[in-house]
Amino acid sequence: ALAQKSNPILKYYDPLNLASADFWGLGNEATIGWLRHSEIKHGRVAMFAFVGYCVQSNFVFPWPQTLAGAPHPSVDLAPEAQWDAIPLGAKWQIFVVISALELWDECGGGYLPHYTKGRKPGQYPNFNLFRENVHPVLDLYDPFGFNKNMSEETKERRLVSELNNGRLAQIGILGFLAADKVAGSVPLLDNIAIPYSGNPMIPFEGQFSYFS
């Protein structure tokens, strides 16, 4: 039903037959839970990346980026080159926060089952346990409780929208990266692409490596 609602033309589309897979011997149900959670998570990350790419292509914070007073990389650089230009310490700060959020998700916030064991796909745990024992912090979803009385129909409609927006964002951000890296690979972006000579798949290029 969800597949048909999210894409009435293709409807159910599984060319790799993943719906019948059994990853790591966890069973088919757990595999489907992993796949659904993964799709929603990657869609959310892609939406952040797409919006971030558009914003930092046109705007950077006016205040210094470092305690030494160094400014943020200029918008004259491609977003990939802006990332290359920030200090190594700043990159590690970002990765530490991402890792902490990922760990919290894997642990279910101390109260939810794992997404391979029955948790609703895409449900990110709240920070109640962290707030009570460590430090006050807002939840990622609905931090002010505006949606606590949302109807099931509205939730389902928003889930379909999130799925489709996430899928489109994944295509969009990869299109930006391809256009900057390989001239002419995305003709629609030829007029705005900024050539980039680095490798967007190596986030610590020239700064850190396990293999050097």
Side-chain angles (χ1 to χ4, degrees):
L2 181 60
Q4 183 169 349
K5 290 178 180 178
S6 62
N7 196 322
I9 297 176
L10 288 178
K11 299 181 182 178
Y12 181 73
Y13 183 69
D14 184 17
L16 298 179
N17 200 30
L18 293 176
S20 301
D22 180 2
F23 291 177
W24 311 293
L26 296 175
N28 179 249
E29 187 174 344
T31 298
I32 291 176
W34 186 89
L35 289 168
R36 290 195 61 198
H37 194 81
S38 179
E39 179 183 23
I40 294 171
K41 180 190 297 184
H42 283 82
R44 289 169 178 168
V45 172
M47 286 188 278
F48 272 112
F50 184 87
V51 172
Y53 188 103
C54 294
V55 170
Q56 68 189 84
S57 293
N58 298 278
F59 172 82
V60 295
F61 294 121
W63 51 80
Q65 183 184 46
T66 68
L67 294 176
H72 289 268
S74 170
V75 294
D76 294 332
L77 299 173
E80 303 94 322
Q82 291 181 32
W83 168 263
D84 291 342
I86 68 174
L88 179 61
K91 293 180 180 179
W92 276 118
Q93 289 178 51
I94 294 170
F95 271 83
V96 167
V97 172
I98 292 172
S99 299
L101 292 174
E102 184 72 9
L103 180 62
W104 194 256
D105 185 27
E106 291 294 319
C107 295
Y111 72 97
L112 287 176
H114 196 264
Y115 47 82
T116 61
K117 298 180 179 179
R119 190 200 312 178
K120 183 186 300 182
Q123 182 181 9
Y124 192 87
N126 61 46
F127 293 122
N128 283 344
L129 190 63
F130 189 90
R131 275 193 293 267
E132 293 169 358
N133 295 280
V134 182
H135 191 275
V137 63
L138 294 175
D139 291 330
L140 293 185
Y141 173 72
D142 195 22
F144 304 109
F146 294 149
N147 298 328
K148 61 182 178 180
N149 296 320
M150 185 187 300
S151 67
E152 291 302 317
E153 292 79 8
T154 301
K155 290 180 181 178
E156 184 177 9
R157 187 178 69 253
R158 289 191 173 188
L159 173 60
V160 171
S161 298
E162 182 180 32
L163 277 172
N164 286 332
N165 289 337
R167 291 166 180 170
L168 186 59
Q170 290 176 72
I171 296 173
I173 188 61
L174 288 174
F176 279 141
L177 296 178
D180 289 344
K181 182 63 179 175
V182 182
S185 59
V186 187
L188 289 176
L189 299 178
D190 281 349
N191 292 330
I192 61 173
I194 301 176
Y196 174 65
S197 60
N199 190 333
M201 298 296 109
I202 306 179
F204 290 96
E205 187 173 19
Q207 294 178 315
F208 170 81
S209 174
Y210 286 114
F211 309 105
S212 62

